[in-house]
Amino acid sequence: MKRLRPRSRAGLAQAVLAAAVAAAGCWPASVVAAPPASALPPSRGLLRTLAAFERDLAELDGALRTKPAALTRFNAADPALQAPPPGAEATTAAEAQPRQERVLTLGQALAVAVVNNPELAERRARITEMRGLKRSVQGRFWPRLGLQLAGGFAQRSEANQVLEANAGLYPSGSPFLVEPGGWNRIQSNLGSGWGSLALDWELISFERGAALAEQDQRLAASLQQYGDALRQLQLQVSEAYYNLQLADQLQRIRASVLRNDTLLRDQVAALQRSGLVPRLDLLRAEAAVQQSRFRLEQADAQRQSRRQGLTNLLNVAFGTVLQAHTDVALQPPWPLPLADTLVAGLRRNPAIEQLAAERQALLRQADRRNAQLLPNLQLFAAGGGSTELLTKPVIDLRGCCASSQIPQLASQSADWVAGLRLHWRLFDAGVTSGEVQASRAAAEAVLQRLARQRNQIRQELETAFYDYRASLSQLAAAEASYRASREAFRDARARYQLGLADYTDVSETITLLTRAMEGIAEATTLANLSYARMLRQLQPVPDQPEQAPSLPLTLPATVSMQAPALLQR
């Protein structure tokens, strides 16, 4: 870019001083020394005043360290923060449009997420399912008593014809003698009812104890899954919240930069119309404005997207949009060195405990299947009675079966039985052995998953720890750069005011200042994200879904005190 010659800059400075003195009314403009003929004195409207630059600097500085918005009172029963029904859908465009905004802190966002999160609700339902299955196995240790009641009605029509007489089988004159060609037709109606009481009791069952141990381990795995889901939810909400804070910060910074670039562009346009700067300077200033506008639009889109991401993660009512209350602020220093962090992160970690419980459940499943080959002894007993009413409304005899027919007959009966039942599977062609082998192989696979999970947790902790330290160093460098850029901005402002620099010096200084401001916000966010990733593996959570979880945003002192003690062991 073409810059002003020193002589021209001196003339411009004299013109600025002349204009300032004349504007102040101290002396008439004719008394003030006139600038050389080689420099055209710019008007007061072509240069920004010192106060204007101060206001811009205050805006830029305020964009980085703005005061938090007034915190509205948090109401957990607010309908806007309630989760919609699982099967609900936004049926109209009006329901899907954002209609209400809520400003939340990170702690409040975590509280809403714990109540509304569908995955946690699913985990709680799975725990209830496992508890029910465990109670069903425990019930096998007690006798089973059953009552059976039944009743029915039947009708039968029977017809017989004598093809050969039975003479010679009975003595002469016997009522049982029938004549050749005789026949009969009889219709019978039978109404019956019966009831019984049965008792079954497994006295000896090796499979029953193994089944209870298997289900107990599956319940333990479900409880650990719930704890790990709580930790993961804390990380997801923290990441979404920190990213939203960063997007808000970048939007404010870039909006302030766009205002400054626009004012500089207007200044250069006025100078170019006066013939003081070439057209190239105006084109470059215009390009800078368009680039700043593009970056601001990117920041706006990113902020809207991250607002909606936090809203969806918290699963609030349709039409609600959430905003972050506080600006980007660094969390307290991580209190543990790397070795203590690794020990505390691997100790009683729900992700590892879950896999260990799953492995034990599979081993107990193998025991249960193997126990099917062992004897099973049961006690059984039953007793009951029945009653019947036999009616023959139609008896038509033609020389056959007269004496054996009863028009109506009622009968009752009662019986009972008790005994022992022994079941022993002697041969099943390898069915049981194959199932046992499959269960043990699955347990070995889970053991390898446990080793992989342990290594993954260690890698995540080490990566987050090193990223955290690097982010702190990056933050220190960004703050030093910001302080230097801020002083450079004041210097460039004064030089520009006196005509000792052109607009490019101010523009370049603003660019450096903007990068430093964005660097501070980004480094702070990266440090907080690394802190949250380490906290995700050390977060103490309740192992009972009935207990209201408390998810601290910083590492509790109890955890930080336990890690050195573990290393000493």
Side-chain angles (χ1 to χ4, degrees):
M1 177 180 294
K2 182 179 178 181
R3 296 181 179 271
L4 298 176
R5 296 186 179 89
R7 181 177 178 182
S8 299
R9 290 189 177 185
L12 183 58
Q14 293 178 5
V16 171
L17 293 175
V21 173
C26 297
W27 295 283
S30 59
V31 178
V32 181
S38 59
L40 296 177
S43 64
R44 288 176 298 174
L46 298 179
L47 295 175
R48 302 182 67 188
T49 62
L50 181 63
F53 278 106
E54 286 291 350
R55 285 194 301 269
D56 286 338
L57 179 60
E59 288 180 0
L60 288 171
D61 189 53
L64 183 63
R65 295 182 174 86
T66 55
K67 296 181 179 179
L71 180 62
T72 58
R73 185 175 181 180
F74 176 68
N75 182 13
D78 186 356
L81 300 178
Q82 302 300 311
E89 296 180 357
T91 57
T92 63
E95 294 179 355
Q97 288 293 331
R99 302 186 305 275
Q100 49 195 357
E101 293 185 352
R102 294 295 183 271
V103 181
L104 299 178
T105 64
L106 178 54
Q108 294 170 349
L110 283 172
V112 174
V114 169
V115 176
N116 294 350
N117 187 257
E119 183 177 357
L120 287 184
E122 178 185 356
R123 297 298 180 193
R124 288 190 289 265
R126 293 297 182 189
I127 291 174
T128 304
E129 176 188 1
M130 292 299 106
R131 286 175 174 170
L133 293 176
K134 180 180 178 180
R135 283 196 297 269
S136 70
V137 177
Q138 290 174 333
R140 294 176 56 185
F141 286 84
W142 297 90
R144 294 186 299 273
L145 189 64
L147 174 65
Q148 293 184 356
L149 297 175
F153 178 81
Q155 185 180 75
R156 180 180 180 184
S157 180
E158 180 181 2
N160 300 297
Q161 184 177 6
V162 179
L163 300 180
E164 183 179 353
N166 59 356
L169 296 179
Y170 298 100
S172 176
S174 173
F176 297 104
L177 292 175
V178 295
E179 299 178 358
W183 60 272
N184 69 357
R185 183 172 67 87
I186 301 173
Q187 178 180 327
S188 302
N189 297 332
L190 177 65
S192 61
W194 64 91
S196 65
L197 193 64
L199 173 69
D200 290 288
W201 194 353
E202 291 183 85
L203 299 179
I204 300 176
S205 176
F206 300 96
E207 183 268 343
R208 178 181 57 187
L212 180 60
E214 174 191 354
Q215 200 56 49
D216 189 65
Q217 291 298 322
R218 295 195 182 280
L219 174 59
S222 298
L223 293 173
Q224 296 299 332
Q225 283 181 341
Y226 175 76
D228 189 64
L230 275 176
R231 286 185 168 188
Q232 183 63 26
L233 179 64
Q234 185 269 345
L235 175 60
Q236 291 175 345
V237 174
S238 297
E239 287 180 338
Y241 196 89
Y242 290 144
N243 286 325
L244 176 56
Q245 285 180 325
L246 177 61
D248 290 339
Q249 203 83 305
L250 293 179
Q251 193 276 339
R252 288 192 292 268
I253 292 173
R254 293 175 183 178
S256 181
V257 171
L258 177 60
R259 287 194 299 270
N260 281 273
D261 286 345
T262 302
L263 291 174
L264 285 174
R265 190 269 316 272
D266 296 340
Q267 293 265 328
V268 173
L271 291 172
Q272 196 271 337
R273 287 194 298 268
S274 300
L276 297 179
V277 295
R279 180 171 173 267
L280 177 60
D281 289 358
L282 178 60
L283 294 177
R284 289 180 176 177
E286 181 64 30
V289 170
Q290 297 304 324
Q291 183 67 18
S292 296
R293 180 174 290 111
F294 167 71
R295 288 170 58 82
L296 177 59
E297 290 175 355
Q298 279 187 323
D300 287 334
Q302 189 178 57
R303 182 176 63 170
Q304 294 299 328
S305 174
R306 290 181 176 176
R307 279 183 180 177
Q308 195 60 44
L310 180 63
T311 301
N312 294 335
L313 181 61
L314 268 59
N315 191 32
V316 294
F318 297 133
T320 301
V321 176
L322 301 179
Q323 295 186 25
H325 169 251
T326 55
D327 293 320
V328 178
L330 187 65
Q331 291 284 19
W334 184 257
L336 300 178
L338 179 58
D340 294 358
T341 301
L342 293 176
V343 171
L346 294 175
R347 177 178 177 267
R348 298 185 62 183
N349 190 294
I352 297 179
E353 296 291 332
Q354 170 201 338
L355 294 176
E358 288 184 4
R359 177 176 177 271
Q360 291 298 321
L362 289 171
L363 292 176
R364 301 292 80 77
Q365 183 185 75
D367 295 340
R368 176 178 61 81
R369 290 175 171 175
N370 201 24
Q372 294 176 355
L373 296 176
L374 300 177
N376 178 279
L377 183 63
Q378 296 182 0
L379 170 67
F380 68 92
S386 65
T387 180
E388 295 180 348
L389 178 63
L390 178 64
T391 303
K392 297 180 179 179
V394 177
I395 302 177
D396 192 0
L397 304 177
R398 294 292 187 272
C400 177
C401 309
S403 59
S404 62
Q405 302 301 325
I406 301 175
Q408 193 170 46
L409 178 66
S411 61
Q412 292 83 29
S413 65
D415 57 358
W416 65 271
V417 62
L420 294 175
R421 183 185 299 114
L422 176 66
H423 175 74
W424 194 344
R425 186 185 299 180
L426 300 178
F427 177 75
D428 63 356
V431 173
T432 300
S433 61
E435 293 177 344
V436 171
Q437 181 181 4
S439 297
R440 290 178 177 169
E444 179 64 24
V446 172
L447 182 61
Q448 299 305 317
R449 284 174 52 198
L450 189 150
R452 187 174 68 249
Q453 183 69 33
R454 177 201 60 209
N455 296 338
Q456 180 180 349
I457 291 174
R458 177 168 184 168
Q459 181 63 39
E460 290 177 355
L461 285 173
E462 291 177 343
T463 302
F465 187 85
Y466 291 129
D467 287 346
Y468 179 74
R469 293 202 310 181
S471 299
L472 294 181
S473 299
Q474 180 182 352
L475 177 60
E479 288 181 344
S481 175
Y482 173 74
R483 289 191 296 269
S485 300
R486 185 173 177 179
E487 293 300 322
F489 182 81
R490 289 195 179 96
D491 183 69
R493 172 204 64 203
R495 291 169 59 86
Y496 180 65
Q497 177 70 20
L498 297 176
L500 301 178
D502 57 21
Y503 89 97
T504 57
D505 296 317
V506 179
S507 179
E508 292 173 359
T509 308
I510 290 178
T511 301
L512 292 175
L513 183 60
T514 302
R515 291 176 182 173
M517 295 167 64
E518 293 182 356
I520 291 176
E522 292 172 354
T524 304
T525 301
L526 290 176
N528 288 341
L529 290 176
S530 300
Y531 191 106
R533 293 187 181 105
M534 289 189 289
L535 183 63
R536 182 253 188 274
Q537 302 298 346
L538 279 73
Q539 177 77 269
V541 293
D543 56 358
Q544 298 294 332
E546 296 82 6
Q547 301 177 8
S550 176
L551 302 179
L553 303 179
T554 57
L555 185 65
T558 55
V559 177
S560 60
M561 292 172 59
Q562 289 173 357
L566 291 173
L567 285 180
Q568 292 175 3
R569 295 180 187 175

